[in-house]
Amino acid sequence: LRIQDTCGVHNLHGLPGIYSAIASVLVAGTASIHNYGNALGLSKVFGGRYDTNMIEVRTAGGQAGFQLALLISTLAFAIGGGLIAGLFARFITGICTVKEEEFFDDQPFWDLPEDADSYLPDEERSSPVAPSGGVRIEKFEVQTMDAEPYQRHPSKV
């Protein structure tokens, strides 16, 4: 699919959401008055199973079906929204002036300090900054509300 999830949204939000929805289908399908003590306890968790007079209007299987339907509709909206965003991004990429090798480079989009490469590993630097793997920090300042800036002498980290 050539999809890159640089922020981990799929792993952080997508998969746990799907696992939780599947678990909710299982829990809703096995929920009974015996598990929750009485109809009032069950109605607090699964409000759609009882009407205002505490008469059961939906079975546990019916509730599980609603949970599954909501999972499917959520996935449909997420996939549809992702496709629309992907098509939009593809269109923007077609008129974008950023070269493909700069896609994961912050330099074209942000005002970075001139020594920004010095914080990268040696193999990713565009030019060497310090000899043999060290990074030389020329000036280090910490600003606080009630103190003068703290300056550290140049040293090898």
Side-chain angles (χ1 to χ4, degrees), residues 47-61:
R49 286 192 56 185
Y50 292 89
D51 66 7
T52 55
N53 297 323
M54 295 305 295
I55 297 172
E56 187 174 31
V57 294
R58 189 181 304 152
T59 64

Side-chain angles (χ1 to χ4, degrees), residues 18 67 98:
I18 291 171
Q67 299 291 121
V98 178

